[in-house]
Amino acid sequence: MTGWEAAMVLFLMMLVAGIALIVIGATVGGTLRLMSAGVLLLLVDLLYLAARSLWRSPRRHTR
């Protein structure tokens, strides 16, 4: 498995875990901590995706 594939697997696992925590936190009463942890995990996951896309973007220098 290449580094890119491992990063995508990690991204997808974090995405699924975040959504699962939000759903569990919303359905089970009194588990606001789970829901907030899920939202935080999704935000971190989106920041990781944004940073990764910036790192991989081609940089062209103008002369």
Side-chain angles (χ1 to χ4, degrees), residues 2-57:
T2 64
W4 183 82
E5 290 172 348
M8 288 308 295
V9 168
L10 177 67
F11 172 76
L12 290 175
M13 286 177 50
M14 286 177 55
L15 186 68
V16 169
I19 291 172
L21 284 174
I22 291 172
V23 168
I24 291 170
T27 56
V28 177
T31 55
L32 185 61
R33 290 182 187 163
L34 280 178
M35 194 165 77
S36 60
V39 169
L40 183 65
L41 188 61
L42 281 178
L43 288 175
V44 168
D45 199 27
L46 290 175
L47 287 174
Y48 171 75
L49 181 66
R52 184 153 174 89
S53 68
L54 287 176
W55 286 328
R56 294 184 55 89
S57 67

